Amino acid sequence: MSATSLEPQAAVAGTTAHTLSDEELRNIHAYWRACNYLAAGMIYLRDNPLLREPLHKDQIKSRLLGHWGASPALSFTYIHLNRLIKKYDLDAIFLAGPGHGAPGVLGPVYLEGTYSEVFPNKSEDVAGMKTFFKEFSFPGGIGSHCTAELPGSIHEGGELGYSVSHAFGAAFDNPDLIVAVVVGDGESETGALATSWHSNKYLNPVRDGAVLPILNLNGYKINNPTLLSRISHEELESLFKGYGWTPHFVEGSDPEEMHQKMAATMERCVLDIRRIQGEARASGNPQRARWPMIVLRSPKGWTGPKEVDGHHVEGFWRAHQVPLAGVRENPAHLQLLEEWLRSYKPEELFDVSGRLVPELKELAPTGTRRMSANPHANGGLIRRSLRLPDFRDYAIEVKQSGRVAAENTRPLAWFLRDIVRENPHSFRVFSPDENTSNKLDAIYEASKKLWLADYLPVDADGGELAPDGRVLEMLSEHTLEGWLEGYLLTGRHGFFSTYEAFVHVIDSMFNMHAKWLASSLEQKWRAPISSLNLLITSTVWRQDHNGFTHQDPGFLDLVVNKSPEVCRIYMPPDANSLLSVANHCLNSTGYINVIVSDKQKHLQYMTMEEAIVHCTKGLSIWKQASNDEGVEPDVVMACAGDIPTKESLAAVVLLRKHFPNLKIRFINVVDLYRLVPCTEHPHGLSDNDFDSLFTKDKPIIFNFHGYPWLIHRLTYRRCNHKNLHVRGYKEKGNINTPLDLAIKNQIDRFSLAMDVIDRVPSLQATGAHAKEELRNMQIECIDYAYQNGIDKPEEDQWMWPA
Amino acid sequence: MSATSLEPQAAVAGTTAHTLSDEELRNIHAYWRACNYLAAGMIYLRDNPLLREPLHKDQIKSRLLGHWGASPALSFTYIHLNRLIKKYDLDAIFLAGPGHGAPGVLGPVYLEGTYSEVFPNKSEDVAGMKTFFKEFSFPGGIGSHCTAELPGSIHEGGELGYSVSHAFGAAFDNPDLIVAVVVGDGESETGALATSWHSNKYLNPVRDGAVLPILNLNGYKINNPTLLSRISHEELESLFKGYGWTPHFVEGSDPEEMHQKMAATMERCVLDIRRIQGEARASGNPQRARWPMIVLRSPKGWTGPKEVDGHHVEGFWRAHQVPLAGVRENPAHLQLLEEWLRSYKPEELFDVSGRLVPELKELAPTGTRRMSANPHANGGLIRRSLRLPDFRDYAIEVKQSGRVAAENTRPLAWFLRDIVRENPHSFRVFSPDENTSNKLDAIYEASKKLWLADYLPVDADGGELAPDGRVLEMLSEHTLEGWLEGYLLTGRHGFFSTYEAFVHVIDSMFNMHAKWLASSLEQKWRAPISSLNLLITSTVWRQDHNGFTHQDPGFLDLVVNKSPEVCRIYMPPDANSLLSVANHCLNSTGYINVIVSDKQKHLQYMTMEEAIVHCTKGLSIWKQASNDEGVEPDVVMACAGDIPTKESLAAVVLLRKHFPNLKIRFINVVDLYRLVPCTEHPHGLSDNDFDSLFTKDKPIIFNFHGYPWLIHRLTYRRCNHKNLHVRGYKEKGNINTPLDLAIKNQIDRFSLAMDVIDRVPSLQATGAHAKEELRNMQIECIDYAYQNGIDKPEEDQWMWPA
């Protein structure tokens, strides 16, 4: 390391030597040795946990699994935070971006006693330590990341990229909380992480807590150097200043020196945080701060074997996972392992019972000040129910079904606006620059868009910005989703709306959160957190000018892959049903609720009373559109989604005109999981109920919002599946009017009516003329659209029959 | 703008006044006026294209669609590039990150004649212009982004975030090419874009071309300011220096001043690029350069209406889409529109026929120097077939099927290594730090990992880095995918391997590229490009220590949503079949080929000759595991994927032992689309063929690599679907041995054998004892794994029967 590279440290460096007394230094280093001993132990040992006898190969695990490389710096950071928590009585939690380095977090969590409290079989003694070691990354044991099984974790770090956005979500509206987040330098190459550094433009120093990022440059990913570790010090510093942070550098490898530097630097950061907050709170004037962050440049696999078989290990990529392989087979490696483990001198660290010695034990905070026992990291414990106004108060009047059009999301916006008002510290709204586009702008009447970057005079003309806004808009679905997850995991509530096609940007984040929720169910000590409520809008059927790239209803195909215990999908067809569904979702815990509803004007079908009944059932026969009272229908017209519902209804009108005697049953589906057998999803219908609704042998023409195959996938076990004919989006589109697009994908009224003629035996012979007429009407509609750029105004004649 | 904020421009500013002569300035501004006129015209006019009569409301489109906001700065940049292309005979292409601003690109493309050459009905005259206007963002017309319909485009910019990575992909191995890429400041907030700035660490100035990013800070997204436009000049400059660029600032709104600044700055950037390249090439020593980039701070909707109805429009978010709404209904708006359009003085710009006047016409380059006609942007034109060694030479010897285990990806690595050798300028390998992990490291024998950031001495000990490496590894799937797409779109070849669970990070990029390919098929003037070959490895079934977060085979569920014309899925079960499949994919054009194959040791089943036959068929009966010769089988055991194949085979062994008379047909599926009816996918089997393989009425036990429902989705129309029973991943997993995980999800040998007993009528009565035995064996396996951390070594006894 050049002298230059340490220059920015000069001010701190001056004080370095004196930050820790000799005794403090000795103790903190001993504590770290204990952490590192545990980290290595859990990777290797299935017995002889404290090396009280010579290490024998049979005491080594058969498969060596775990990531040593990131672990030492994680515990190093953890215990330096502990020092400050004790010194300043800080309220802090800890996120490990490189969650693969869980051994570096499990160690301190075990040492401060929380682990044994939660898992009594991993007690603080020799037997408990043995179990603790053996069950790490072991079949039937616990995961090797900072999973939901780890007390104090709200961030698994299995998939990389979301640590900083999770940290900010946790800090929002927690003014006294410090969220320390270690960012791996591998992770820092991901897109999600790279843009999440800008989260500092959304942190209000008056009402929010602080995020203290520690970028750990250990230099390597699995097999490669990392970018940020291989640019000049000047570039690195410039980058973080450009991101709006005040970077502090802690660089080196000598433990004593590094303890002093880290102690001084971290203390300075904490004091800076408190100063920034104090000034902002005293003035009552929130301004964007250049918050401190730490660049911790330390060797990968720090304190591990330096060289193995003539190759560099410590400080190189070879330290990533298991630095010494083949230990059971290779006596030399076994000896190296024993030497390495004994280098931490476990006999000095643990007493005869196997418990950390008292003088070290007291270095950790106690009770809920322990980061592993901080209730913010088990957010359900401190969660309070959302105060919800009566959603029925926002109903729109529907005198006659299918006669009046309205933007479905507007009334929801009024509801959300008042939820914002009634929950001024625990509810936030998230969207990638789309709340206004999604017709949710009424929310701004309650609270503006959070903005702490620069202002211009023109903002007064409809900017809707405020430094204390509760609406978060950034053009990064990743960051928004990360913030929201962090906010929910720490016990609060939120609502996220996003364009349907681009929710795929966060597919993998959805996957990870769903897995986290499913895993949490198995940890009974974790209290349920609020559901993640995701409104998917600006949907495929109304991309009148955005065209093909904006047409993708496939997110649902991913959702149904995840555990039925944690996923819900709703497709309310109109404004009142959307309100009813949203109310239900906002009240719930433990789920990811996906609500699909377009933002444009759509016909309104149900009064609020009707909507509540319908949504509670999840699907029901719409009597107004059915004429099969008392008899088996000839055909079941089913639909899910706003535009498909409208087209199915219009098809019914057409069919009635041509075939007045045709018995039609009309079923609208709001809760998609009702279609699944009750043995597969808690919301599933029994086969009996399904059969009584969809019949056992009549054709079903199902008009679906998404890709048609999803309905087959959900219903393939149903008795009448063989007669199920599904229409949906088939990747046909460019610039289209709504009806033109519907026709291209055959979800339009005409195609549906023709489908019925093709499938109802009694019509197959007699329907030829009607089919021709329908086809002509269809062509006429396309011609009109291509001529005029809009659909025929007469389109509205195809409304719900009076 | 403060004086300070212009300071870094000082050096350039001194030369500014003289860069363009008065005549040049007058002409370039007139050309820009023509571009802006066209941009506004295409949004509004359906008739009277040159305003040769007073504007009448009936001449306005019924729906006003398009994005004005980004358009003027796009054409501004485009025509300033044109100047330098002519002056220096540059080979350049143009990518518009904010592709929504297509009017700003369509304008100059039309003016330089390419548009009319490709679409003769949009000729360079009044009638052609009228059609050009009318069909923009109009049903039956062309899209409103820089779609595949736009000559010169390789980047649609519908979904935001990939412009810079696409640009780098285009520049790789094109030493004379300059790829200009306008980056929107909205886009710059996305994760993908934020990390793609680091692509400069992968650009070799000796062998690669240059990327010239122009970050257009117009200040606003749809309804919000943008982050980068609202931080201090110092932060912004610091950020880009930190990213490793040399930023140049062009800031202002006065057209004359801005033309001079842009001309001077862009020329300086081009000369800097040439200097950097010249020095590197003269020395033969490639080093990372601090390449120039431009920050163009200009008003959103520049030159459009300043105020409408008392509200700010130009330079504010209201200019984003259509600055003047309701023009047909509102005479005042109609008048404003006419004034705005006439402010560009079209009568000075176009001659009586409607063609751009000659003195402006000559400002554009000609022939293939036009960015819209540059063959690099229609890469299929210059694409040459990949030189492929004979893949059979890499076969592994399989003397007896199912007796020997090997890592399936190793032989592929040898094949890829030699492809790298034989195609030193047109083939690259991409992976997020995982090639070694994926057992593809043999590639490094031919070429190392590209690395132009700093080196350390330790790199000599297995770093495998080189400044001219052809293997690209960065921990950003987004960046890799963007590079690869850009590389393919400009006529080259590539191979991308990635972990199965985290391919979801680029779900949306896959969607976009699939849509681009499908759209390109409709543009016959676009020549086919190489397929995008994606190896999905480190699969769900072998996440022995990474656990639950790393288990997600759901990418395929998205793939099948996209057009069957462009998607292919292969699941080769062993090394030789993987080679055969890879060879086929690398030879193909126009597809996204998804290959699923795990990297761990797996049993080997087929000689190369057998593998070729099997892969060519796509699925076939494995005679060695079948005993139904000449008769209808009692049960069909089908499988797809390496681990499922092994377990199905082991189940056959178990079944034969218990029920020697049971007639089993064993089918392995490599080409997943064979399962689909031939009416739905070009690879689909006819119903006859399907029935003759899978029978019409016998139970099928299908063991599938992914989520089981996908097989139902693909086969629901098949006659025997009712007897199809599919096993696959069901989100059950944590830390598991391979067999333990298989058992948890019931894809294991025991569960499958029990499934057969449950479903074959003749076994239902007699099979109880066998079932009990199977269940005991299953429990024994789990116990062993939980005790020892590994599967029973005797597991191998469950091999393919001799």
Side-chain angles (χ1 to χ4, degrees), chain A residues 77-93:
Chain A
T77 307
Y78 195 102
I79 63 178
H80 275 276
L81 269 160
N82 274 353
R83 184 181 79 88
L84 297 170
I85 291 170
K86 287 205 61 150
K87 180 165 178 182
Y88 296 105
D89 190 31
L90 301 180
D91 191 12
I93 62 174

Side-chain angles (χ1 to χ4, degrees), chain A residues 63 224 311 461 473 507 544, chain B residues 63 224 461 473 507 544:
Chain A
R63 281 205 74 182
N224 279 291
H311 290 294
D461 181 21
E473 304 202 3
D507 279 359
D544 313 14
Chain B
R63 280 205 75 181
N224 279 292
D461 181 21
E473 304 202 5
D507 278 358
D544 313 13

Side-chain angles (χ1 to χ4, degrees), chain B residues 12 94 136 160 162 185 199 268 347 368 370 374 379 476 497 511 536 628 676 772:
Chain B
V12 175
F94 186 85
F136 169 77
L160 301 175
Y162 318 124
D185 50 354
S199 301
R268 175 172 167 184
E347 65 283 2
T368 56
R370 293 173 297 180
N374 191 310
S476 165
S497 80
N511 284 339
I536 291 183
D628 65 326
V676 169
E772 200 185 320

Side-chain angles (χ1 to χ4, degrees), chain B residues 357-390:
Chain B
V357 296
E359 62 269 32
L360 298 185
K361 199 81 191 159
E362 72 183 19
L363 294 193
T366 55
T368 56
R369 282 303 194 222
R370 293 173 297 180
M371 294 190 283
S372 55
N374 191 310
H376 291 293
N378 186 359
L381 292 179
I382 49 177
R383 172 185 179 274
R384 292 197 227 155
S385 292
L386 199 60
R387 291 151 59 103
L388 287 172
D390 192 330

